[in-house]
């Protein structure tokens, strides 16, 4: 055990850069027991020196090409009469998918006194996306006073960070009691 301790101490000292920074001196002792303070040597121990730098390397970086085209489509417009100043805005539910394609469609909009619930379905299709990631969206325009909006997608949540904007449930039966009791103001 003592040999192991000596070997560990020697290894530690061998891996360090030790520089003596001050000369040491032993205390002087007078026979009549008067002493002068001594001074132990001081050492700077530089155990490791690390340099951080960068270099340029060729690496494969995925590139995604998205082509957006404008098309004329019919979009539902909800005109909601309730107290407050109305303004037009778009309620858009989006999801990002990979693996196999899926269809995203708004099925219902439900309302309470101060909140709208936009409920969409996400149904998987058979088309393989060949490693690509795409975004799907559906929208409804409303003309109403300002209300809080919660987006709920019925279907399996795709494993993408972007999808944290929506709440996902497995089926309509899994909606909270508050959402189930809200008044349906739009149904597809």
């Amino acid at each position: 055990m003592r040999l192991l301790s000596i070997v560990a101490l020697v290894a530690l000292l061998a891996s360090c850069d030790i520089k003596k920074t001050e000369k040491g001196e032993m205390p002087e002792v007078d026979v009549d027991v008067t002493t002068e303070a001594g001074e132990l040597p001081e050492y700077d121990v530089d155990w490791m020196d690390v340099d951080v730098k960068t270099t340029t390397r060729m690496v494969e970086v995925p590139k995604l090409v998205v082509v957006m085209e404008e098309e004329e489509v019919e979009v539902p417009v909800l005109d909601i009469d309730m107290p407050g100043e109305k303004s037009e805005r778009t309620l858009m539910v989006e999801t990002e998918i990979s693996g196999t394609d899926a269809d995203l469609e708004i099925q219902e909009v439900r309302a309470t006194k101060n909140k709208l619930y936009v409920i969409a379905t996400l149904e998987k299709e058979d088309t393989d996306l060949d490693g690509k990631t795409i975004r799907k969206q559906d929208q409804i325009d409303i003309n109403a006073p300002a209300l809080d909006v919660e987006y709920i997608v019925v279907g399996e949540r795709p494993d993408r960070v972007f999808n944290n904007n929506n709440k996902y449930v497995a089926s309509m039966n899994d909606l909270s009691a508050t959402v189930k009791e809200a008044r349906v103001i739009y149904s597809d």
Side-chain angles (χ1 to χ4, degrees):
M1 185 68 174
R2 186 172 186 197
L3 180 61
L4 183 61
S5 298
I6 293 172
V7 169
L9 181 62
V10 169
L12 177 64
L13 292 176
S15 68
C16 296
D17 181 18
I18 300 174
K19 296 178 186 164
K20 185 174 182 180
T21 59
E22 195 173 305
K23 182 178 174 185
E25 185 178 307
M26 294 300 291
E28 291 184 17
V29 180
D30 198 5
V31 176
D32 54 352
V33 190
T34 1
T35 62
E36 289 184 25
E39 198 172 299
L40 293 174
E42 292 182 13
Y43 294 91
D44 279 339
V45 178
D46 293 328
W47 179 67
M48 182 185 299
D49 187 23
V50 177
D51 291 327
V52 178
K53 58 185 177 179
T54 62
T55 187
T56 304
R57 300 217 193 281
M58 292 297 289
V59 296
E60 288 187 17
V61 178
K63 297 283 182 175
L64 177 65
V65 177
V66 176
V67 177
M68 299 296 284
E69 295 178 358
E70 285 191 21
E71 287 185 16
E72 209 171 283
V73 296
E74 291 209 17
V75 176
V77 177
L78 304 178
D79 190 21
I80 302 172
D81 285 324
M82 61 186 295
E85 188 176 325
K86 287 184 178 183
S87 63
E88 280 191 27
R89 66 181 179 160
T90 299
L91 302 178
M92 184 181 306
V93 62
E94 289 184 288
T95 190
E96 196 171 76
I97 57 175
S98 58
T100 58
D101 199 3
D103 185 40
L104 180 68
E105 189 174 330
I106 295 175
Q107 297 297 317
E108 291 181 353
V109 176
R110 296 183 183 199
T112 60
K113 280 186 171 182
N114 59 354
K115 192 167 189 174
L116 294 176
Y117 299 95
V118 178
I119 303 169
T121 55
L122 182 65
E123 295 178 0
K124 287 193 174 193
E125 297 178 345
D126 295 331
T127 307
D128 186 4
L129 295 176
D130 294 323
K132 294 182 179 102
T133 299
I134 61 173
R135 283 196 185 158
K136 294 285 184 138
Q137 70 181 35
D138 196 13
Q139 69 186 45
I140 291 180
D141 290 343
I142 66 167
N143 186 20
L147 297 167
D148 288 334
V149 179
E150 183 176 325
Y151 296 94
I152 302 170
V153 178
V154 178
E156 185 179 337
R157 180 188 179 280
D159 189 24
R160 308 288 303 165
V161 172
F162 177 82
N163 297 319
N164 291 339
N165 298 330
N166 305 319
K167 179 179 181 178
Y168 286 81
V169 295
S171 73
M172 293 291 274
N173 293 332
D174 296 323
L175 294 173
S176 71
T178 305
V179 177
K180 285 180 181 178
E181 293 168 7
R183 179 177 167 204
V184 177
I185 61 171
Y186 168 81
S187 181
D188 186 25

